[in-house]
Amino acid sequence: MELLDNLALGFGTALSLENVFYCFVGVLFGTLIGVLPGIGPLATIAMLLPITYKMSDPTTALIMLAGIYYGAQYGGSTTAILVNLPGETSSVVTTLDGYQMARNGRPGPALAIAAIGSFFAGTVATIMIAAAAPPMSEIAFKFGPAEYFSLMVMGLIAAVVLAHGSVVKALGMVVFGLLLGMIGTDVNSGVARFSFDIPELTDGLNFTAVAMGIFGFGEIISNLEQRENREVFTKKVGRLLPSMAEFKASIAPIIRGTALGSFLGVLPGGGAVLSSFTSYAIEKKLSKTPERFGKGAIEGVAGPEAANNAGAQASFIPMLTLGIPTNAVMALMVAGMMIHNIQPGPQVMTSNPTLFWGLIASMWIGNAMLVVLNLPLIGIWIKLLTVPYRILYPAILLFCCVGVYSVNNNVFDVFITIPFAILGYVFRKFSCEPAPLLLGLVLGQLMEEYLRRAMTISRGDWSIFVTRPLSLTLLLIAAVLLVIVFLPAIAKKRDEAFAEEAD
């Protein structure tokens, strides 16, 4: 009964005229930018984050950000199917069979089954978030500063383990992010650190400028290097609804993908990418005709698309209940909450229930909007895909610069994006995944705060982290993860998995 009451409160909040409007704007803009190949949810949220700053109600702002997230996620699968270019990493798998379905004259059923699978997974994940959040928040209230610090250490190590490419490079990115997080004024002593006598840096780096530089501008520079060679199925979409046989073949993969994504999305470093790749591997193993995979098997679209959407939404659970972002997109969401003076963590549910339950209910509304709006709008997305990048990207760059400036009305923030755009481009050239950097930047400040609190409580005794059972367990898990990933057999399997992904 309590769950129903909470959901009633959530839907009451999410269905207000203002929140429905901004949810619609979020999913529409998210899909619009997510459709562009190479610009995924991370870059999309980084670009559109400034729009929410001027909103007076943080609930509306977060509903819009969440809408942008799953809108961009959805847009990524459209380009994967129609152009063979994944809009974001979790859609890479969809290109394998989705594009082949399009080439075989079945782009409509591929797009429709991706939408239906995503909606089903989103609905289940929303119910799971609503059911799991209260008990997880209860557990979170038992966490002290030492446990929070250890949990963040575990989260960063998990992000390193699941990052693409070299573990050493991922570790380096986390450390770099933690160092960037130290720029600014020391909270305890009031002394400016690493500010190089630049007044604007005494408040620390503007998170939006860093994220937009690395993910938005860096992504655009990187894409400009590639030649435009897009084969878009402009007039061949035709029938949208899948046949009864295609629908029957998709039911089990959608259910399996939803369960898998709901589980993996909760894990630190997990989320949409891990869920979609695991789902594809499982569907191929379970299939009686695995040779069809890669040649247009609808199961290869249904399972991963359901899994990535469930994984994306399940990743909200640790963020909303513990205040810990499990991936870079959630790090941006945490930053969005902090900008609106909402401290992420278990207290959000009790101190601001309308925001908490309103955000959860809006996820279902947003997913329903995606299905209702996007299938009829496929023609528009196809036309957008045919617009040359040389026209689109300058407009996006201008829009982003205005967005960064509008955060603090400060030109310095716009200049800050330049070195980070170059860094973002260099990171891609040297195969360094920048997502761990963003996690390090966001978690660095929180880790320092919890570390200092724990040390104050223990009067400078470091053993507080290993004498408290929960803290010790979390640190041991982090140590085991780090040791396992360096074992030769595991390292080889990991390299093979990411090599397959890159292919």
Side-chain angles (χ1 to χ4, degrees), residues 149-289:
F149 176 79
S150 303
L151 180 68
M152 290 177 196
V153 170
M154 190 190 81
L156 287 180
I157 295 296
V160 166
V161 170
L162 293 171
H164 292 213
S166 161
V167 175
V168 177
K169 285 180 183 174
L171 267 175
M173 298 299 278
V174 165
V175 173
F176 187 40
L178 291 172
L179 290 173
L180 289 177
M182 292 180 73
I183 295 174
T185 306
D186 185 301
V187 179
N188 284 14
S189 64
V191 176
R193 299 181 302 193
F194 310 115
S195 63
F196 305 103
D197 293 328
I198 300 172
E200 286 84 354
L201 287 181
T202 52
D203 288 334
L205 283 170
N206 182 328
F207 182 84
T208 313
V210 174
M212 202 173 290
I214 290 179
F215 293 99
F217 296 174
E219 196 82 53
I220 290 172
I221 297 170
S222 183
N223 284 329
L224 285 175
E225 268 194 345
Q226 297 166 12
R227 291 185 63 188
E228 286 191 46
N229 184 21
R230 292 175 284 172
E231 185 186 358
V232 185
F233 290 86
T234 50
K235 295 178 183 175
K236 301 175 187 172
V237 172
R239 175 174 64 91
L240 267 179
L241 287 178
S243 66
M244 190 51 75
E246 287 171 329
F247 191 67
K248 278 184 180 174
S250 305
I251 292 175
I254 286 174
I255 294 171
R256 281 194 289 267
T258 302
L260 193 70
S262 300
F263 170 70
L264 292 177
V266 180
L267 301 179
V273 180
L274 184 64
S275 306
S276 60
F277 279 94
T278 312
S279 169
Y280 189 81
I282 288 176
E283 292 309 323
K284 197 172 176 181
K285 279 213 182 285
L286 290 177
S287 175
K288 291 176 182 170
T289 52

Side-chain angles (χ1 to χ4, degrees), residues 247-371:
F247 191 67
K248 278 184 180 174
S250 305
I251 292 175
I254 286 174
I255 294 171
R256 281 194 289 267
T258 302
L260 193 70
S262 300
F263 170 70
L264 292 177
V266 180
L267 301 179
V273 180
L274 184 64
S275 306
S276 60
F277 279 94
T278 312
S279 169
Y280 189 81
I282 288 176
E283 292 309 323
K284 197 172 176 181
K285 279 213 182 285
L286 290 177
S287 175
K288 291 176 182 170
T289 52
E291 65 277 4
R292 290 190 303 112
F293 280 73
K295 296 174 184 169
I298 199 162
E299 300 95 317
V301 177
E305 279 299 313
N308 75 33
N309 206 38
Q313 286 196 215
S315 60
F316 275 87
I317 295 177
M319 194 274 285
L320 286 172
T321 56
L322 301 173
I324 306 294
T326 54
N327 53 47
V329 173
M330 288 302 112
L332 281 171
M333 292 293 290
V334 165
M337 289 176 88
M338 290 166 83
I339 284 161
H340 285 278
N341 292 322
I342 304 287
Q343 185 65 35
Q347 69 281 358
V348 175
M349 191 189 293
T350 49
S351 64
N352 206 337
T354 52
L355 180 146
F356 187 89
W357 294 106
L359 178 60
I360 289 175
S362 77
M363 292 178 187
W364 189 87
I365 296 168
N367 274 287
M369 280 181 183
L370 281 172
V371 175

Side-chain angles (χ1 to χ4, degrees), residues 94-159:
T94 309
T95 60
L96 300 176
D97 284 285
Y99 183 66
Q100 289 305 320
M101 282 182 74
R103 286 186 69 88
N104 297 336
R106 296 188 295 151
L111 290 164
I113 214 69
I116 293 166
S118 297
F119 176 69
F120 176 80
T123 303
V124 173
T126 302
I127 295 168
M128 198 185 83
I129 294 171
M136 280 196 74
S137 290
E138 288 292 321
I139 296 170
F141 275 121
K142 294 175 183 167
F143 276 41
E147 285 78 10
Y148 267 114
F149 176 79
S150 303
L151 180 68
M152 290 177 196
V153 170
M154 190 190 81
L156 287 180
I157 295 296

